[in-house]
């Protein structure tokens, strides 16, 4: 599985509704509220990077209340050594 992180800006007053709707999308594993220029950080998985090309614009960006997104593809996850 491939991982991606999507930063999401929400319309004012819609954060909780957007977060709950994002959690209903298949492939979304976590949604976190964050500080800074973005409102939410979404972690999602897909079998291939190409599938993010459908998942993000066709589902995630069409959630009512989503104003803007920025996608970060993850190449490697690091873990502490034993």
């Amino acid at each position: 599985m491939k991982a991606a992180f999507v930063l999401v800006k929400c319309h004012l007053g819609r954060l909780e509704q957007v977060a709950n709707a994002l959690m209903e999308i298949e492939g979304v594993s976590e949604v976190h509220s964050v500080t800074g220029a973005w409102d939410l950080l979404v972690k999602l998985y897909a079998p291939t990077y190409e599938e993010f090309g459908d998942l993000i614009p066709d589902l995630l960006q069409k959630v009512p209340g989503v104003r803007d997104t920025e996608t970060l593809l993850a190449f490697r996850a690091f873990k502490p050594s034993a």
Side-chain angles (χ1 to χ4, degrees):
M1 287 295 253
K2 306 299 182 191
F5 295 88
V6 180
L7 296 163
V8 177
K9 287 184 184 178
C10 302
H11 291 287
L12 290 176
R14 301 292 303 271
L15 187 136
E16 191 168 340
Q17 293 166 313
V18 170
N20 289 331
L22 291 172
M23 285 303 302
E24 297 298 319
I25 296 173
E26 186 174 345
V28 171
S29 68
E30 299 174 38
V31 177
H32 298 269
S33 60
V34 294
T35 62
W38 299 92
D39 299 312
L40 298 170
L41 173 66
V42 181
K43 184 177 184 181
L44 58 151
Y45 292 99
T48 66
Y49 286 117
E50 290 78 19
E51 292 191 40
F52 290 127
D54 295 325
L55 176 64
I56 294 167
D58 293 345
L59 297 175
L60 191 142
Q61 291 178 340
K62 291 184 179 177
V63 168
V66 169
R67 190 167 55 104
D68 195 11
T69 65
E70 183 172 332
T71 301
L72 307 164
L73 298 178
F75 297 114
R76 182 178 301 143
F78 296 93
K79 298 179 182 176
S81 57

